[in-house]
């Protein structure tokens, strides 16, 4: 089922269910090695996880990751459990934006795409099946809100393992109290953060965090983001305790300026420390990150006249040796006018070598 039944008008056809994953073997991939050609004699990945029957890993040793906030990108069908005007009755230009999205994803040509503000995993799957079937996107995940339409969805050419959801975790809103004087906390937007195990190659795994942190510039918004950052570092500590050499990426719209306290808290980099007051009670955090775009004029928002960076792909110290020099960039997969028409954010891209 195509997400848009007509080229010029919204269709009243009812939603008829989720779209099946596209076939495991995709004809348009540029190069693959089969299970019999792999050095180990099998394309299975370490541990209990495996790959789908017939799946072949890409033959080259690079992995390109992109993140893109696609701004209120919805299908034409009204989800009865979401009461929002944008989702209930999308604007007339959504089909034009849909076509721009297809062209933009093709131009990015990334192995993994982390999308923010897209309605659903099913929407991404249907686009991949109907319009990007030669691109090889077979694997998808999200931890969707039951009553809101802006979600974070992963599209991947390479297999996924365990996906860790934070949807129901309650995190503090640092520095803010309720009307009753109690410390404020929230779980409203934590579904927009997840961690997926990505099996880029049989012997190379990436732990990818997709994130769309709380928007806004006041103290409450910043405190909200700080609580989400603390949650992530708690989970990183557990991951690194069992897998000290884990490759970790954080990709998404972090709604934090490049030198903001909350971004520096997430980086946990001694060369760019967060304010001392913010580091209280952090304990021992074992994950440190770099922003490959730091120190360069790489603004991502707003797309029609970029003047700030809100979108990032951060890599931890284990992954830094695999970062392809010069690969980190703010991408422009469409013309400037088309990018501004499609979304208020520009995508960010990095490439890794999948060898250690």
């Amino acid at each position: 089922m195509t997400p848009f039944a007509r080229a010029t008008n919204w269709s009243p056809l009812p939603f008829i269910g989720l779209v099946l994953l596209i076939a495991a073997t995709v004809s348009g991939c540029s190069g693959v090695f089969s299970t019999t050609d792999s050095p180990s004699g099998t394309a299975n990945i370490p541990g209990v996880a495996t790959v789908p029957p017939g799946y072949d890993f890409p033959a080259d040793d690079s992995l390109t990751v992109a993140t893109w906030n696609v701004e209120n990108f919805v299908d034409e069908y009204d989800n009865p459990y979401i009461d929002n005007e944008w989702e209930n009755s999308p604007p007339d230009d959504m089909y034009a934006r849909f076509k721009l999205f297809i062209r933009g994803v093709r131009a990015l040509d990334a192995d993994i795409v982390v999308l923010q503000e897209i309605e659903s995993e099913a929407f991404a799957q249907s686009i991949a099946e109907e319009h990007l079937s030669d691109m090889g996107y077979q694997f998808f995940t999200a931890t969707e809100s039951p009553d809101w339409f802006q979600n974070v969805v992963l599209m991947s050419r390479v297999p996924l393992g365990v996906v860790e959801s934070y949807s129901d975790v309650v995190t503090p809103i640092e520095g803010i109290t309720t009307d009753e004087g109690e410390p404020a906390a929230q779980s409203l937007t934590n579904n927009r953060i997840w961690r997926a195990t990505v099996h880029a190659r049989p012997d190379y795994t990436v732990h990818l965090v997709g994130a769309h942190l709380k928007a806004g510039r006041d103290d409450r918004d910043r405190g909200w983001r700080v609580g989400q950052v603390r949650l992530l570092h708690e989970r990183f500590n557990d991951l690194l305790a069992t897998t000290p050499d884990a490759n970790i990426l954080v990709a998404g719209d972090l709604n934090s300026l490049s030198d903001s306290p909350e971004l520096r808290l997430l980086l946990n980099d001694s060369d760019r420390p967060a304010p001392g007051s913010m580091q209280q009670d952090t304990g021992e955090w074992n994950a440190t990150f770099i922003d490959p775009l730091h120190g360069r004029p790489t603004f991502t928002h707003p797309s029609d006249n970029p003047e700030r960076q809100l979108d990032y792909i951060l890599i931890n110290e284990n992954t830094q040796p695999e970062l392809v020099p010069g690969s980190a960039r703010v991408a422009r997969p469409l013309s400037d006018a088309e990018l501004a028409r499609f979304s208020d954010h520009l995508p960010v891209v990095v490439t890794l070598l999948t060898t250690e």
Side-chain angles (χ1 to χ4, degrees), residues 69-118:
N69 182 322
V70 290
E71 193 186 7
N72 298 327
F73 192 42
V74 298
D75 64 25
E76 63 179 313
Y77 304 103
D78 177 22
N79 183 334
Y81 301 103
I82 297 176
D83 184 16
N84 177 270
E85 182 179 357
W86 194 287
E87 193 280 331
N88 295 346
S89 182
D92 292 339
D93 70 343
M94 192 59 68
Y95 182 74
R97 291 184 59 208
F98 167 77
K99 293 190 292 183
L100 289 174
F101 174 78
I102 293 168
R103 287 179 47 213
V105 170
R106 284 191 173 280
L108 286 173
D109 195 23
D111 300 296
I112 296 170
V113 185
V114 181
L115 302 167
Q116 301 90 56
E117 294 196 26
I118 188 170

Side-chain angles (χ1 to χ4, degrees), residues 30-213:
S30 59
V32 299
F33 66 79
S34 69
T35 56
T36 56
D37 293 332
S38 66
S40 62
T42 175
N44 289 353
I45 51 186
V48 297
T50 188
V51 297
Y55 177 81
D56 294 311
F57 282 96
D60 62 29
D61 60 357
S62 67
L63 180 78
T64 298
V65 180
T67 182
W68 199 358
N69 182 322
V70 290
E71 193 186 7
N72 298 327
F73 192 42
V74 298
D75 64 25
E76 63 179 313
Y77 304 103
D78 177 22
N79 183 334
Y81 301 103
I82 297 176
D83 184 16
N84 177 270
E85 182 179 357
W86 194 287
E87 193 280 331
N88 295 346
S89 182
D92 292 339
D93 70 343
M94 192 59 68
Y95 182 74
R97 291 184 59 208
F98 167 77
K99 293 190 292 183
L100 289 174
F101 174 78
I102 293 168
R103 287 179 47 213
V105 170
R106 284 191 173 280
L108 286 173
D109 195 23
D111 300 296
I112 296 170
V113 185
V114 181
L115 302 167
Q116 301 90 56
E117 294 196 26
I118 188 170
E119 182 172 355
S120 68
E121 179 181 345
F123 187 26
Q125 287 185 28
S126 63
I127 295 173
E129 182 181 57
E130 296 291 335
H131 302 280
L132 299 168
S133 60
D134 59 325
M135 297 288 289
Y137 295 114
Q138 306 179 46
F139 309 99
F140 304 81
T141 197
T143 57
E144 297 175 14
S145 169
D147 57 7
W148 192 243
F149 68 97
Q150 294 177 336
N151 291 292
V152 179
V153 174
L154 173 65
M155 300 172 51
S156 177
R157 291 171 173 157
V158 293
L160 307 179
V162 173
V163 177
E164 186 172 88
S165 170
Y166 308 131
S167 295
D168 299 313
V169 179
V170 179
T171 53
I173 304 176
E174 186 162 295
I176 303 299
T177 58
T178 66
D179 292 341
E180 293 75 28
E182 297 294 328
Q186 66 83 34
S187 62
L188 294 176
T189 61
N190 290 343
N191 66 285
R192 301 190 323 202
I193 317 171
W194 43 253
R195 191 181 84 210
T197 306
V198 179
H199 298 293
R201 300 295 182 271
D203 57 354
Y204 192 91
T205 297
V206 174
H207 298 270
L208 176 63
V209 172
H212 185 190
L213 301 188

Side-chain angles (χ1 to χ4, degrees), residues 108-350:
L108 286 173
D109 195 23
D111 300 296
I112 296 170
V113 185
V114 181
L115 302 167
Q116 301 90 56
E117 294 196 26
I118 188 170
E119 182 172 355
S120 68
E121 179 181 345
F123 187 26
Q125 287 185 28
S126 63
I127 295 173
E129 182 181 57
E130 296 291 335
H131 302 280
L132 299 168
S133 60
D134 59 325
M135 297 288 289
Y137 295 114
Q138 306 179 46
F139 309 99
F140 304 81
T141 197
T143 57
E144 297 175 14
S145 169
D147 57 7
W148 192 243
F149 68 97
Q150 294 177 336
N151 291 292
V152 179
V153 174
L154 173 65
M155 300 172 51
S156 177
R157 291 171 173 157
V158 293
L160 307 179
V162 173
V163 177
E164 186 172 88
S165 170
Y166 308 131
S167 295
D168 299 313
V169 179
V170 179
T171 53
I173 304 176
E174 186 162 295
I176 303 299
T177 58
T178 66
D179 292 341
E180 293 75 28
E182 297 294 328
Q186 66 83 34
S187 62
L188 294 176
T189 61
N190 290 343
N191 66 285
R192 301 190 323 202
I193 317 171
W194 43 253
R195 191 181 84 210
T197 306
V198 179
H199 298 293
R201 300 295 182 271
D203 57 354
Y204 192 91
T205 297
V206 174
H207 298 270
L208 176 63
V209 172
H212 185 190
L213 301 188
K214 177 68 169 66
R217 304 184 188 183
D218 64 22
D219 290 344
R220 181 180 180 84
D221 299 322
R222 284 188 289 272
W224 194 304
R225 290 191 290 272
V226 168
Q228 294 177 314
V229 167
R230 292 188 185 280
L231 168 64
L232 285 175
H233 270 287
E234 176 187 292
R235 304 310 304 143
F236 296 151
N237 269 6
D238 283 357
L239 171 61
L240 292 170
T242 58
T243 313
D245 60 348
N247 300 303
I248 307 174
L249 270 66
V250 179
D253 175 2
L254 304 185
N255 274 310
S256 305
L257 299 178
S258 60
D259 202 38
S260 64
E262 59 268 36
L263 183 69
R264 286 184 279 144
L265 187 69
L266 176 53
L267 293 172
N268 193 35
D269 181 354
S270 59
D271 292 333
R272 299 177 63 192
S277 60
M278 192 175 286
Q279 297 182 49
Q280 293 177 359
D281 302 322
T282 58
E284 183 69 25
W285 284 359
N286 298 319
T288 61
F289 294 85
I290 66 163
D291 170 16
L293 299 179
H294 179 62
R296 296 157 52 187
T298 49
F299 301 142
T300 65
H301 182 270
S303 57
D304 59 349
N305 184 28
E307 58 184 21
R308 65 182 68 89
Q309 184 180 353
L310 298 179
D311 307 88
Y312 302 83
I313 300 179
L314 310 178
I315 62 175
N316 75 326
E317 59 183 352
N318 291 335
T319 315
Q320 291 178 36
E322 285 99 65
L323 177 65
V324 175
S327 68
R329 68 190 192 280
V330 176
R332 291 186 171 273
L334 302 167
S335 72
D336 289 353
E338 289 170 330
L339 286 166
R341 183 180 182 188
F342 175 68
S343 172
D344 58 346
H345 288 253
L346 300 175
V348 174
V349 177
V350 302

